[in-house]
Amino acid sequence: MKKRTICILVSILCIGLVACANDGYVERKNFGALYEPLDRVLHGGGQDPAGFLEYADALGEDRYPVLWMTYIGLEHPPEHILDWGKGVKRDLDAIGRDDLMPQIGLSMTGGNDDGSGLDALVARGDYDAQIEAFCEALAFIGRDSFVRIGYEFEGSWNNYSEAGFVGSWKRITTAMRERDLPVATVWCSGGGSAGPRPIEEVMAFYPGDEWVDWWGVDVFSPGEIGMDWITDFCELSGEHGKPVMLGEVTPRHVGVLDGQKDWDEWFGPFFERIRSQPEIKAFCYINWEWDYWSRKLGFQWHDWGDARLQMNETVLEAYRMELDRSLYEHSE
């Protein structure tokens, strides 16, 4: 055998050993952020209590998510927010896993994606009673948590202003920090659903590194997964020393019912994005039948498809295999 051929074979073998050692993914970047896992990606699901349990049951005990999605808005009366906190604690305690972490979407709007942003009023102090109730609820829940303040901040459906959003972010974050609550803040972009808007426009909503623990972006339609914008956003997060959370992900307009076709169109590229993007350190999957929730909550989601993994064995089994990689961190 010629020397060149031997060298090529040795190189291929070495590459294969590295890929095997890394379980087929790029080594993660570590930034030392609050609740950031070392070298791994936090796995989460939701986004209602029943949907979370269906998702977790479908995946099996060894792949149990460690992030539990929930939502609350500052437009509600303080009493409602306190009741929400009691409900979250009840639901989490019933699951019986001490390491399960809430991933909370905190909105500042007055309606269902109608552009009624309340950010400027929150920044002015008009909703301080609600912020106080939210902090009391977090203290009552008593768990390490992530809070995506004003998630999808640049989306037209929220209609936040740059100054209003930054002011409201700082007011809410100050309240949580003064109470020394166990909370990591996530500055979460709407990504492709919001246009995407040029990065420089998105950065106009940025409160500053000292106010933010994680960056985040939500990923829905297939075309969003491979966007250069996502790459640029993640790389910029690294320059700021922040890990990235994919705060809401679901195969919008794809679903799971067509099995391998749906896997190839959405799930395969999505997980390849995670494996190849070293700044990504968390993701949360929405395990919903979207038409049902569109009718239940009054949002325009009727054509988003059935994203429940348990509805297709081909997608479910491939999803389980993906989560068996050493890259992902599950509940213990």
Side-chain angles (χ1 to χ4, degrees), residues 197-235:
R197 292 174 66 170
I199 291 289
E200 58 270 19
E201 292 184 13
V202 172
M203 290 303 294
F205 289 87
Y206 192 52
D209 288 347
E210 69 272 25
W211 292 95
V212 174
D213 296 308
W214 287 57
W215 285 23
V217 61
D218 295 344
V219 179
F220 296 101
S221 301
E224 299 174 26
I225 298 170
M227 290 190 310
D228 290 340
W229 189 95
I230 296 284
T231 303
D232 294 342
F233 182 86
C234 289
E235 291 179 351

Side-chain angles (χ1 to χ4, degrees), residues 169-170 173 177 185 206-213 240 242:
W169 178 287
K170 291 181 178 180
T173 301
R177 289 180 176 177
T185 58
Y206 192 52
D209 288 347
E210 69 272 25
W211 292 95
V212 174
D213 296 308
H240 284 261
K242 309 295 180 182

Side-chain angles (χ1 to χ4, degrees), residues 165-177:
F165 178 78
V166 169
S168 62
W169 178 287
K170 291 181 178 180
R171 197 173 193 93
I172 294 166
T173 301
T174 296
M176 294 190 297
R177 289 180 176 177

Side-chain angles (χ1 to χ4, degrees), residues 73-315:
L74 292 182
E75 75 275 11
H76 296 295
E79 296 78 13
H80 178 99
I81 297 173
L82 291 171
D83 286 343
W84 163 82
K86 294 174 183 177
V88 169
K89 179 173 173 53
R90 180 187 63 245
D91 290 336
L92 290 172
D93 287 351
I95 293 173
R97 290 175 175 264
D98 293 339
D99 64 342
L100 198 55
M101 302 173 67
Q103 192 266 77
I104 302 164
L106 179 66
S107 63
M108 299 182 288
T109 59
N112 290 359
D113 291 351
D114 62 359
S116 54
L118 306 174
D119 53 311
L121 300 178
V122 172
R124 193 174 69 183
D126 292 13
Y127 285 82
D128 281 358
Q130 281 84 350
I131 295 174
E132 174 65 25
F134 180 64
C135 290
E136 287 185 34
L138 291 173
F140 184 74
I141 293 167
R143 292 184 182 239
D144 295 345
S145 304
F146 292 92
V147 178
R148 294 185 299 131
I149 301 171
Y151 54 93
E152 300 174 354
F153 50 82
E154 79 275 45
S156 60
W157 52 91
N158 291 319
N159 197 27
Y160 299 144
S161 68
E162 292 90 339
F165 178 78
V166 169
S168 62
W169 178 287
K170 291 181 178 180
R171 197 173 193 93
I172 294 166
T173 301
T174 296
M176 294 190 297
R177 289 180 176 177
E178 285 178 348
R179 293 158 178 81
D180 198 25
L181 294 169
V183 170
T185 58
V186 184
W187 181 69
C188 187
S189 166
S193 294
R197 292 174 66 170
I199 291 289
E200 58 270 19
E201 292 184 13
V202 172
M203 290 303 294
F205 289 87
Y206 192 52
D209 288 347
E210 69 272 25
W211 292 95
V212 174
D213 296 308
W214 287 57
W215 285 23
V217 61
D218 295 344
V219 179
F220 296 101
S221 301
E224 299 174 26
I225 298 170
M227 290 190 310
D228 290 340
W229 189 95
I230 296 284
T231 303
D232 294 342
F233 182 86
C234 289
E235 291 179 351
L236 186 58
S237 78
E239 294 175 15
H240 284 261
K242 309 295 180 182
V244 172
M245 170 185 288
L246 306 182
E248 299 178 22
V249 303
T250 200
R252 179 168 60 188
H253 306 312
V254 176
V256 305
L257 300 182
D258 289 330
Q260 189 64 48
K261 177 178 179 294
D262 295 337
W263 181 270
D264 293 342
E265 184 175 0
W266 193 90
F267 292 90
F270 171 74
F271 283 117
E272 174 58 29
R273 165 64 78 174
I274 291 180
R275 293 194 301 269
S276 63
Q277 197 73 55
E279 298 85 5
I280 295 176
K281 303 298 288 286
F283 82 96
C284 289
Y285 183 82
I286 302 175
N287 199 58
W288 269 9
E289 200 286 302
W290 284 94
D291 182 57
Y292 167 81
W293 285 100
S294 177
R295 289 181 280 109
K296 183 179 179 66
L297 299 180
F299 286 86
Q300 297 302 310
W301 302 329
H302 62 279
D303 60 348
W304 284 26
D306 191 341
R308 295 174 295 172
L309 298 179
Q310 67 270 23
M311 299 305 293
N312 187 275
E313 191 62 31
T314 297
V315 171

